[in-house]
Amino acid sequence: MLARTAPGRFLVWMLVLATAFYAFPQFSTYIWAAIGLSAAAAVLIGIRLHRPSRRLPWWLLAGVLVSFTAGDSTYNVLVDHLHRDNPFPSLADVPYLAVYPMLAAALLIFIRARSGSGNRAALLDALLPTLGLGLLSWVFLIAPYIRDADLSVLEKLISVAYPLGDVLALAMLLRLFIVPGRRPRAVIILGVGVTGLLVTDVLYGLRQLAGTWATGGPTDAGWVFFYTAIGVCALHPSMTQLTVDRQSDLQPQVGGRRILLMSVAALIAPVLLVIEDVSDRLHDGTVIAVACATMFLLVIGRVVDLLRAQREAGARERALREAGSTLVAAASERDAADALSRAVADLVPQGEPHHLYFVGETFTGDTAPGHLAELVRVADLPAGVAAELAGFECALHAVVLGAGKDPAGPAIGKHAYLAASPECLHTLRPSFDALMAQGALAVGRMDLTDQISRRSSEDYFRTLVQSASDVILIVDDEQRIRYFSPSAEHVFGAAPPVGTPLTGLFAGTEHAELQDLLTRAGQGRGRHDGVDLTAVRADGRLLQVECGCRDLRDDPTVNGLVLTLRDVTERRKLENDLTHQAFHDGLTGLANRVLFQNRLEHAAMRAENDGSVIGVLFIDLDDFKEVNDTLGHAVGDQLLIAAGQHITRTLGPMYTVARTGGDEFAVLVEQADTPSEVDDVAARIVAALSVPIEVGDGTGGSHMVSATVSVGVATSAEAAGAGELQRQADLAMYVAKGDGKNAWRRYRNALHSGVVERLELRAALHDAVAAGQFVVRYQPMVELAGAELVGAEALVRWQHPVRGLLSPDQFIDLAEENGAIVAIGNLVLREALRTFAGWRTTPAGQSLRYVSVNVSARQFRTPGFVDQVRDALAESGARPEWLVLEITESLVLRDADKVWADLRELRSWGVRIAIDDFGTGYSSLSYLRQMPVDILKIDKSFIDDTMHSEEQLALVEAIVSLARTLKLAVVAEGIEYQQQHDLLHRLGCPYGQGYLFGKPLEPADLFDLLADTVVV
């Protein structure tokens, strides 16, 4: 009762004394002494009443009050009894000045008790306002004394000591208040009292400087307030909390009020500087500048601390997130413990000594302890735990891992102890709380899962068996069915009656294997899972089932052999289909490259062992691209299918026929006696495919398509190994194709050099264009009626630096393959137009009507070709009607809309279009009515046979007549004899070219021929 009412009684007593002090000034000396000693007595009474854990700071506060009272009493005696007017310095200054170090020491002990040491952040937060207020003290209290020339050195030192003591007390007070956490009421009372002392001291100092100080004034009330506050603080029950060890986190929380306080403190220095500058009394510039710099460094240091704290908080948050993810995936308490250990290692700052220890315990009572961490002393822990954590003063303790209560007995769980330095533990406590909560939840989840699993396992397995699609059978020692799962009716079409022999479910051919499976399972040996057997449904259909068997005759709940049957009919069918697709071509159904390679390797190994000959044939359809371009890919696919069928029928089932890609096939010949047998196979294939094949186009129409092939042959007599066989066959096939197609060639060593030469030419094509190695020759084109020279066809030649002048048949195909034909064609177009434009400027060249330039399909389809023609005409100065572009039939029959649009644009300028080698393609003559062309050029093959074949002559006559009807010009190519000239003239063919009129000539030679007006 006394402890609760003591603060109020003391407060009333101090009010009485204060009133008496001002009411009876003649007794002020005695009343003042009573005020101070009453406060000191109140502190001593508070110590006795509340018994704080540390008494020294309270003894120091009592000493502060006694010393202050002694100073006041001495001063009053000097003034009132010895009649000294404001004595300074005097004996009273000794107890006065002793107040400040005792007060600072008491506050420091409170700080150490509440927050520990080494808290740099709190120290910086306290120093900044202390420095600002200290600067005010310097400017208004300390500096005037220092500059006062009338004071002695002793007087200056004592005068300066008072404000310095106030600054020291202020620093301690601010540091005490910056300790984070909840502040006891005693702290607030103490802070208010000390603040009253500091404010009163400042007022006293200002009045001393102004010379207006006198005892008994209102300033004395401030000291009375200080005495009263200290006494009330000591008598209040919360005074014990000022010395309880480390009750809060060590990191201060930066709030709005603290930021405002530090901001105001930081502005004190610049405000003072402005005031002194405005008043033209800049006495303290250096001190203010040093204070500004110091404050700036303090702020920077605080920012650095905040950034470091933010990084550490972010690292702790990441560690908690990662631990949460790991704990979610934990499958056992051991996994959870490992995850917690790793997380704690991540939470503790690097290099900080620590130790995490888990220990199991049994809890008694209604509930087990919670997981929230508490700070404990290692010395107070059980002996085993204390020994494990030896070397540490404190530890965080939480309960994790199975902390739930078992209804059947006491709670069983694990304690977690994290030992480290006290400062580190206070920092980690929130994170450790969260981590232990996650661990408890994870293990609780595992415990709950285990309980549910145990309680529902019987129901689960019963439901599983009833709902399983697999058939579960239990058979007795006589192999009769004693139990079957409901799925048996679905799989077998009808449930087998109980007591039916097991063999009745399987085909007779499987009984021996079934018996072997049951025997092996009963004896516990061999494989008794995944055995494929053929079962019989009730409707007689066969099933493919996968069968497994377990011997559970010793299990009293089963007492029999348990068979599991799974219907795998569709799966096996799918597996077979996938296997077939993996080794067979999807279009033709023939073997694919993988299967061919596999069989070739096995055949090569057998040939090495028995000395037989094997052969490999590579087959490529001739001009297959033309079929795709002219008739479409649907017809091309049908041609591939038909070709594969022809090859298979020709050779029979003893040979491996494969489609290896695109329009390429391969044949494997095994067990041949001599290489000539392989040659016979190649000859049979070429002969079988030399006749055109009729194929459909998918829309009801049909086409007769050439299916000739080029075949390359290689045998093991010349090759070592499967890889070399394939390379040699590939080379031989390219030789057959280069020799005119529709033929077969066997690999010879000499072929290799020819292929290498071809590859070298192909590789040199692009460089040849850049080096200007291509030249243009011009073949005359004449009017057959009068042999008058009317135009010329531009023909390209390759002036090879080593091989000399190469004709187009030696490099044009290669240029088409690697794309160099585009650059070559553009070069010929520009050179021909430039040369022809030069001829037209001469009198002899006026008779020439046009120059004809060949354009490949690849060049024409190159984006921007029409623009290239326009640019070439503009550069050369040639008129569009002087140019004839020769294209193939296949070009106008593929991508017709785009190609025909470009042709119409060229013709709209005046450029004329000619179809070269007309009659050799796949197109119908009816297309001529729609094609945007002007000239037909009859292929040389038709002209050669006109002298000997009535059919060929009739065909040429029909072409000329059709062209005349469609108003198309006709040019006959390859005229070499006068008889051909006369015959074509009689048929009405207007124009011709060939060796009869002139070979391809250099530009100068053709111009000379033109100038002489002589037709050769």
Side-chain angles (χ1 to χ4, degrees), residues 139-189:
V139 172
F140 294 106
L141 297 176
I142 299 175
Y145 289 120
I146 294 177
R147 289 194 294 267
D148 192 345
D150 296 334
L151 297 177
S152 65
V153 174
L154 179 61
E155 291 174 334
K156 290 182 179 182
L157 290 175
I158 295 175
S159 299
V160 169
Y162 282 105
L164 288 179
D166 288 335
V167 171
L168 176 62
L170 174 64
M172 295 296 104
L173 180 63
L174 290 175
R175 177 65 181 83
L176 178 63
F177 266 77
I178 288 175
V179 173
R182 184 181 179 185
R183 297 186 184 90
R185 184 164 296 181
V187 172
I188 299 175
I189 298 172

Side-chain angles (χ1 to χ4, degrees), residues 128-144 147 163-164 166-167 170 202 206 209 264-273 275-276 284 287-288 291 295:
L128 188 61
T130 300
L131 187 61
L133 295 176
L135 181 61
L136 288 174
S137 179
W138 170 271
V139 172
F140 294 106
L141 297 176
I142 299 175
R147 289 194 294 267
L164 288 179
D166 288 335
V167 171
L170 174 64
V202 171
L206 293 175
L209 288 173
V264 172
L267 291 174
I268 290 175
V271 170
L272 288 176
L273 190 63
I275 292 174
E276 290 196 357
D284 306 295
V287 175
I288 294 174
M295 289 182 186

Side-chain angles (χ1 to χ4, degrees), residues 611-832:
S612 62
V613 175
I614 63 171
V616 172
L617 281 66
F618 274 12
I619 305 167
D620 187 84
L621 291 178
D622 297 333
D623 302 320
F624 178 73
K625 185 174 181 298
E626 296 294 330
V627 177
N628 274 339
D629 291 344
T630 56
L631 301 179
H633 290 279
V635 175
D637 289 345
Q638 293 301 315
L639 176 58
L640 291 173
I641 296 173
Q645 293 172 348
H646 275 60
I647 297 172
T648 304
R649 284 197 301 266
T650 301
L651 301 182
M654 300 302 295
Y655 298 86
T656 297
V657 180
R659 180 184 175 217
T660 57
D663 60 340
E664 297 178 354
F665 296 84
V667 175
L668 173 61
V669 181
E670 301 183 61
Q671 301 295 320
D673 294 329
T674 61
S676 60
E677 292 185 24
V678 183
D679 296 344
D680 293 340
V681 173
R684 289 161 57 194
I685 293 173
V686 172
L689 294 175
S690 61
V691 180
I693 298 175
E694 182 177 2
V695 295
D697 57 9
T699 61
S702 63
H703 302 267
M704 294 298 296
V705 181
S706 172
T708 60
V709 294
S710 298
V711 181
V713 180
T715 66
S716 57
E718 295 90 8
E724 189 172 351
L725 264 174
Q726 293 179 87
R727 287 193 297 272
Q728 291 182 359
D730 197 30
L731 289 174
M733 182 193 71
Y734 277 105
V735 171
K737 190 173 287 290
D739 288 348
K741 306 176 183 178
N742 192 23
W744 65 272
R745 293 290 183 271
R746 171 109 74 83
Y747 176 81
R748 298 286 189 273
N749 290 333
L751 296 180
H752 184 73
S753 59
V755 173
V756 170
E757 179 181 345
R758 179 181 175 87
L759 293 176
E760 289 176 350
L761 286 176
R762 175 172 172 167
L765 274 170
H766 286 292
D767 294 336
V769 176
Q773 296 176 5
F774 291 97
V775 296
V776 182
R777 298 291 183 261
Y778 300 89
Q779 186 172 28
M781 303 177 70
V782 301
E783 190 173 14
L784 296 181
E788 179 184 356
L789 185 61
V790 295
E793 180 179 1
L795 302 171
V796 67
R797 299 292 187 268
W798 184 1
Q799 188 65 53
H800 195 280
V802 176
R803 296 186 174 92
L805 192 66
L806 302 180
S807 59
D809 59 349
Q810 295 177 275
F811 64 86
I812 287 296
D813 288 343
L814 299 176
E816 288 277 3
E817 291 175 7
N818 67 0
I821 191 65
V822 176
I824 295 172
N826 191 31
L827 180 149
V828 173
L829 175 64
R830 294 177 182 274
E831 178 63 21

Side-chain angles (χ1 to χ4, degrees), residues 829 833 853-856 859-862 864-873 879-887 891-892 898-914 932-934:
L829 175 64
L833 286 174
V853 179
N854 288 279
V855 179
S856 74
Q859 180 186 2
F860 192 93
R861 291 194 178 93
T862 302
F865 172 73
V866 174
D867 294 333
Q868 290 179 7
V869 175
R870 180 189 293 111
D871 294 342
L873 288 170
R879 294 164 58 180
E881 57 267 25
W882 294 347
L883 176 62
V884 173
L885 296 180
E886 296 189 14
I887 62 176
L891 174 63
V892 295
K898 177 65 172 65
V899 172
W900 288 17
D902 290 344
L903 291 175
R904 290 190 183 98
E905 182 176 356
L906 291 169
R907 293 182 71 212
S908 68
W909 304 345
V911 176
R912 287 180 291 173
I913 307 299
V933 297
D934 305 279

